């Protein structure tokens, strides 16, 4: 499962992903092409102070605290994992399919970004996952630069071999994705990855260190991180091919994983390592050589499951099932057959992964399923279009292709989860795919649901849009992506029952959306959010569109509120809500929407009384489009919102404690915070600037990338279980009363000269207070200075000179402060410690420094720099490069026992320090 970033022969602008080695130690190159998410530019570029994620080395995990992790408070997930409903076969797309089969999805979050993995931003073309209903575990697969790596070390235009910076061994989940996963009952899983190429000199040994009591400090920190960031477990990808795992370390590795599992975390192991020798050898089945990493004869249960490598067949999967059963394990909980997303050109070549081989004699899956890189539907678009040098996947006008390709992957080539098997006649050529060799995931996995209780609301919001709509009108004209506020996805894309021709179904993102030639509806946009549901075409027979699998109770107060927009002309059609009750799932009970054949003048909302069905449970519901024995050309109906409620969902109170924590006037950024209520009371908070929607999240803080006005009102509203908003908490602001154009320059001794422009309406006699505090450190430093308003500058002395992040607040009189952030002067680096050098039989081995900002190490023998090999290329360098020098190169033998040796360590700022070895 090694992540490979680009084969030769492709243009350097776009990289490709993942080379999987397989089959009993042989190197079977099975390439998945998927481009990196290149940094967005222009208005969509990451904000100067926008929080983004980073990777973690073993040393960074060991030193982790919530206070020291950069942007930590702004990158937490808070939605609790929601329980899923009991399976109900009668409403499954395939009623005979075993609902116990699970899916482990390993994929990117918004994409495969190295320095731009943010929880939300203003770019429609971000990849948004929309198939939580088939997923049980979602793990994250893309390299992240470790904390402190300067962004300027990454040049997206250079060859993939020229990424000379360090990736962490740990990717933690994007908090927005964790929130979306938890909302849908899916566990969010972090990724631990060791590889000779992709992680350079980093090795599992640095992770497995033990204290004097035999405990694993890194494992303890991993458990703390999972609790703080609110994710659910770890995937272990151990692929150090050159050395493998030393046999004497295998028991410790198992104890490490067992500790995490005993803390209640989900642990999955990749089929890469032989239990007896520790060598890399892919079994492609569950057998005695890899099963001890799940169930050990001495330690007992070590992990929850295994992700099998990809080169399996029917007999191997049958034997895997039987081996699990022989150990007393349920194969549907323990064994996951691996499938590599995007392999074989999305079905246009002979497909290697045929999940029919996982079916028993009764047509039931013998093992569960794991997929790697299902986001290839978006990220590999350019390569599959034939030109890897383009970046169409980041262009709005190509996103419709992603959506169709997604449905082909999940619902099958027929775009119908009830008919999800391969179909060579399905026309997917317009999206550069084929249905000839691929069955949709829905052919093997049943849909799941968290929709229960007596209240439910959806606006068919997929989590991104070209505009944001409120009550059918554009509230914010900027494009956006924010999976935090994605509605629970439609359960089936698309399950349409009809005795005649079927209508087309799509998400309508508005007039500027490029929808492709296969769709011909009049795009009108959303009622609320970024999209509405649109149904159109020739209506010649009743079409029943099944929407949601549910477990909703109906009582005397229950109502269904439907908001719709019919832009097509008056006709004889009827729109009806179709209810499927648990006690008679073979029947659809229809509730008519009055006058629904008439063209509307925009959005209309009707309330349908459900009290005639009190005491019943809605197991599924959808919408019927009935021509009433006529044929209607160019029929179109948009559905903007559906709310089922019995009034028990109390409208939340207006939020309290709403305030600005950072007003970054130089860049018009803002961070706000408030008091967060329990998820049982509030499902989301919506933030507005002067009445314009800014964003939403279930959190106690929010980053605003760009204020539109320098003064006005910010407001926040809490959203309840039925989608209704609270009254607003209003916060007036006026940044014109603050200093402007702040500038900080550091002198050679580390002192800071701070300058600014006076407020436009300054009285001239209010004092100005400067407070500088270090951020993201366990030992904070604070410096405060107060001066007269008449002075436009000040000097801050006695500051640390280690390059730490700082936040500078400047307040005029009793006005709220404004903020400037940056890094202190970096004038020092700690010498490489001698106790990090191991000498054995004349060989010197250098351990990786624990320093946060080291970059290179020069090794001089008799005054001449030794050269060291790096990953991917044969070129050698006269220094060790953090993250790229091979682990094996850290051990070397001097040319003579009498040679002089010295080490010079250099940090990212260019500071150097010397250590004399001999």
């Amino acid at each position: 499962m090694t992540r490979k970033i680009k084969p030769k022969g492709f243009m350097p602008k776009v990289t490709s992903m993942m080379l999987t080695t397989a089959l009993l130690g042989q190197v079977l190159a099975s390439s998945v092409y998927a481009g990196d998410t290149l940094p967005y530019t222009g208005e969509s570029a990451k904000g100067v102070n926008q929080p983004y994620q980073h990777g973690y080395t073993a040393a960074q995990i060991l030193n982790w605290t919530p206070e020291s992790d950069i942007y930590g408070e702004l990158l937490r997930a808070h939605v609790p994992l929601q329980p899923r409903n009991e399976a109900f076969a009668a409403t499954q797309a395939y009623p005979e399919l075993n609902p116990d089969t699970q899916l482990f999805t390993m994929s990117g979050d918004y994409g495969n970004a190295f320095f731009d993995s943010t929880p939300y931003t203003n770019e429609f073309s971000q990849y948004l996952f929309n198939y939580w209903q088939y997923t049980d575990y979602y793990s994250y697969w893309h390299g992240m630069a470790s904390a402190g790596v300067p962004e300027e070390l990454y040049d997206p235009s250079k060859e993939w071999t020229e990424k000379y910076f360090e990736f962490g061994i740990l990717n933690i989940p994007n908090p927005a994705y964790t929130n979306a996963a938890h909302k849908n009952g899916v566990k969010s899983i972090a990724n631990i990855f060791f590889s000779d190429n992709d992680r350079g000199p980093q090795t599992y040994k640095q992770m497995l260190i033990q204290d004097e009591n035999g405990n694993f400090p890194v494992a303890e920190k991993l458990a703390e991180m999972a609790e703080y960031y609110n994710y659910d477990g770890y995937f272990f990808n151990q692929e150090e091919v050159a050395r493998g795992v030393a046999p004497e370390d295998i028991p410790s590795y198992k104890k490490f994983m067992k500790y995490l599992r005993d803390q209640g975390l989900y642990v999955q192991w990749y089929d890469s390592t032989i239990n007896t020798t520790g060598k890399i050898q892919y079994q492609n089945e569950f057998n005695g050589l890899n099963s001890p990493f799940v169930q050990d004869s001495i330690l007992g249960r070590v992990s929850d499951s295994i992700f099998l490598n990809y080169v399996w067949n029917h007999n191997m999967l049958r034997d895997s099932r039987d081996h699990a059963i022989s150990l007393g394990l349920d194969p549907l909980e323990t064994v996951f057959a691996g499938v590599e997303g995007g392999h074989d050109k999305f079905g246009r070549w002979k497909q290697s992964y045929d999940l029919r081989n996982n079916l028993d004699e009764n047509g039931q899956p013998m093992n569960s399923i794991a997929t790697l890189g299902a986001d290839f539907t978006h990220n590999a678009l350019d390569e599959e279009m034939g030109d890897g040098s383009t970046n169409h996947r980041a262009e709005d006008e190509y996103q419709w292709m992603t959506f169709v390709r997604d449905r082909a992957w999940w619902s099958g080539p027929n775009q119908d989860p009830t008919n999800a098997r391969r179909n060579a006649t399905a026309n997917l050529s317009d999206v550069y795919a084929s249905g000839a060799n691929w069955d949709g995931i829905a052919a093997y996995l049943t849909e799941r649901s968290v929709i229960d209780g007596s209240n439910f609301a959806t606006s068919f919001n997929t989590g991104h849009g070209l505009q944001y709509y409120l009550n059918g009108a554009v509230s914010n004209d900027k494009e956006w992506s924010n999976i935090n506020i994605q509605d629970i996805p439609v359960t089936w894309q698309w399950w349409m029952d009809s005795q005649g021709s079927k209508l087309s179904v799509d998400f309508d993102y508005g007039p500027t959306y490029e929808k492709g030639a296969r769709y011909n509806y009049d795009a009108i946009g959303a009622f609320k959010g970024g999209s509405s549901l649109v149904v159109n075409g020739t209506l010649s027979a009743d079409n029943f569109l099944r929407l949601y699998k549910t477990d909703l109770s109906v009582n005397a107060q229950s109502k269904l509120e439907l908001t719709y927009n019919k832009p097509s002309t008056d006709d004889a059609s009827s729109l009806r809500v179709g209810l499927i009750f648990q006690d008679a799932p073979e029947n659809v009970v229809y509730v008519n929407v009055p006058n629904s054949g008439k063209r509307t003048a925009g959005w209309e909302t009707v309330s349908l009384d459900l009290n005639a069905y009190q005491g019943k449970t809605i197991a599924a519901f959808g919408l019927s489009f009935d021509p009433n024995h006529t044929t209607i050309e160019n029929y179109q109906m948009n559905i903007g919102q559906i709310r089922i409620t019995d009034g028990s969902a109390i409208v939340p109170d207006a939020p309290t404690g709403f305030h600005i924590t950072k007003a970054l006037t130089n860049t018009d950024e803002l961070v706000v915070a408030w008091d967060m209520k329990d998820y049982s009371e509030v499902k989301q908070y919506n933030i507005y600037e002067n009445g314009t929607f800014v964003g939403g999240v279930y959190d106690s803080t929010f980053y605003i990338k760009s204020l539109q006005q320098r003064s006005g009102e910010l407001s926040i509203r809490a959203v309840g279980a039925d989608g209704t908003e609270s009254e607003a908490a209003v916060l007036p602001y006026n940044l014109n009363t603050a200093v402007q154009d702040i500038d900080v320059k550091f002198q050679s001794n580390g002192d800071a000269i701070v300058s600014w422009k006076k407020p436009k309406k300054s009285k001239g006699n209010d004092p100005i207070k400067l407070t500088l505090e270090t951020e993201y450190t366990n030992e904070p430093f604070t410096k405060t200075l107060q001066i007269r308003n008449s002075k436009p500058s000040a000097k801050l002395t006695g500051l640390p000179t280690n390059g730490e992040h700082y936040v500078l607040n400047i307040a005029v009189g009793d006005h709220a402060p404004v903020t400037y952030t940056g890094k202190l002067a970096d004038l020092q680096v700690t010498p490489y410690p001698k106790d990090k050098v191991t000498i054995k039989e004349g060989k010197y081995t250098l351990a990786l420094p624990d320093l946060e900002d080291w970059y290179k190490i020069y090794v001089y023998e008799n005054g001449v720099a030794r050269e060291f090999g790096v990953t991917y290329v044969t070129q050698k360098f006269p220094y060790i490069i953090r993250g790229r020098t091979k682990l094996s190169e850290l051990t070397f033998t001097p040319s003579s026992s009498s040679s002089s040796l010295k080490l010079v360590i250099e940090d990212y700022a260019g500071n150097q320090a010397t250590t004399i070895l001999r």
Side-chain angles (χ1 to χ4, degrees), residues 392-409:
H392 294 320
R393 63 188 176 279
E395 298 170 9
D396 293 345
E397 57 266 36
Y398 288 88
Q399 298 314 300
W400 70 272
M401 293 186 182
T402 292
F403 307 150
V404 175
R405 287 160 59 88
D406 253 355
R407 278 193 289 272
W409 174 263

Side-chain angles (χ1 to χ4, degrees), residues 741-753:
D741 298 334
I742 302 168
D743 185 46
V744 178
K745 287 186 170 59
F746 289 95
Q747 298 183 312
S748 59
N749 65 351
D751 291 346
I753 305 297

Side-chain angles (χ1 to χ4, degrees), residues 327-406:
L327 296 174
L329 303 173
D330 183 346
L332 294 180
E333 292 182 358
T334 307
V335 183
F336 289 73
V339 173
E340 197 173 14
H343 184 74
D344 296 334
K345 295 286 187 179
F346 203 168
R348 288 186 285 164
W349 297 350
K350 183 179 179 181
Q351 190 70 28
S352 296
Y353 316 115
D354 191 339
L355 285 169
R356 293 176 296 187
N357 285 325
N358 191 39
L359 300 179
D360 65 15
E361 60 277 8
N362 298 314
Q364 296 294 339
M366 297 182 289
N367 307 281
S368 284
I369 301 166
T371 63
L372 170 66
D375 56 345
F376 83 94
T377 54
H378 177 268
N379 296 340
L381 180 62
D382 295 277
E383 286 86 351
E384 294 193 358
M385 290 178 71
D387 187 356
S389 68
T390 60
N391 192 25
H392 294 320
R393 63 188 176 279
E395 298 170 9
D396 293 345
E397 57 266 36
Y398 288 88
Q399 298 314 300
W400 70 272
M401 293 186 182
T402 292
F403 307 150
V404 175
R405 287 160 59 88
D406 253 355

Side-chain angles (χ1 to χ4, degrees), residues 550-569:
T550 65
D551 188 6
L552 291 168
S553 60
V554 181
N555 57 49
Q557 288 74 44
S558 295
K559 297 181 183 300
L560 188 149
E561 189 179 273
L562 176 69
T563 300
Y564 69 97
N565 188 336
K566 185 174 182 294
S568 56
T569 59

Side-chain angles (χ1 to χ4, degrees), residues 93 119 491 497 600 693 904 912:
T491 305
D497 292 327
T600 61
F693 182 83
V904 176
Q912 293 187 340

Side-chain angles (χ1 to χ4, degrees), residues 551-757:
D551 188 6
L552 291 168
S553 60
V554 181
N555 57 49
Q557 288 74 44
S558 295
K559 297 181 183 300
L560 188 149
E561 189 179 273
L562 176 69
T563 300
Y564 69 97
N565 188 336
K566 185 174 182 294
S568 56
T569 59
D570 291 359
D571 54 45
S573 68
S574 298
L575 172 64
R576 300 180 295 173
V577 175
L579 305 174
I580 298 172
F581 293 112
Q582 199 172 78
D583 61 351
E586 67 280 4
N587 298 323
V588 180
V589 177
Y590 295 102
V591 182
N592 193 54
V593 177
N595 302 314
S596 53
K598 293 187 175 298
R599 181 177 184 174
T600 61
W603 294 97
E604 291 191 7
T605 299
V606 295
S607 182
L608 305 176
D609 204 329
L610 302 181
N611 64 9
Y613 313 109
Q614 60 183 292
K616 292 182 177 293
T617 298
I618 301 173
F621 74 88
L623 296 171
S624 163
F625 309 89
D626 190 347
N628 292 315
H629 309 294
T630 63
T631 296
I632 302 168
E633 303 287 346
N634 301 315
Y635 175 83
Q636 179 173 332
M637 179 69 76
N638 283 62
I639 309 300
Q641 188 174 66
I642 296 176
R643 296 174 64 238
I644 297 175
T645 179
D646 64 353
S648 64
I650 299 172
V651 178
D653 294 331
T656 59
F658 189 38
H659 65 286
I660 295 171
T661 60
K662 287 182 180 178
L664 298 146
T665 52
N666 275 27
T667 51
D668 291 327
E669 298 167 284
L670 209 66
V671 179
V672 294
W674 58 90
D675 302 324
M676 182 171 59
K677 291 286 190 179
D678 189 82
Y679 194 70
S680 62
E681 300 177 52
V682 174
K683 305 301 182 187
Q684 183 177 308
Y685 292 92
N686 291 335
I687 297 96
Y688 301 85
E689 178 197 351
N690 297 310
T692 297
F693 182 83
V694 173
V697 69
Y698 178 69
D699 205 330
S700 60
T701 186
F702 192 85
Y703 162 83
I704 299 174
K705 182 175 173 179
S706 179
L707 279 173
Q708 301 306 301
Q709 299 181 39
R710 304 281 293 184
S711 64
E713 288 185 345
L714 297 171
S715 58
I716 183 171
R717 297 176 184 267
V719 181
D722 63 353
T724 55
E725 285 190 327
S726 71
E727 292 295 320
V730 177
L731 177 64
Y733 70 97
N734 186 359
L735 302 182
N736 294 316
T737 63
V739 300
Q740 312 290 325
D741 298 334
I742 302 168
D743 185 46
V744 178
K745 287 186 170 59
F746 289 95
Q747 298 183 312
S748 59
N749 65 351
D751 291 346
I753 305 297
V754 184
S755 61
W756 59 84
K757 289 183 180 179

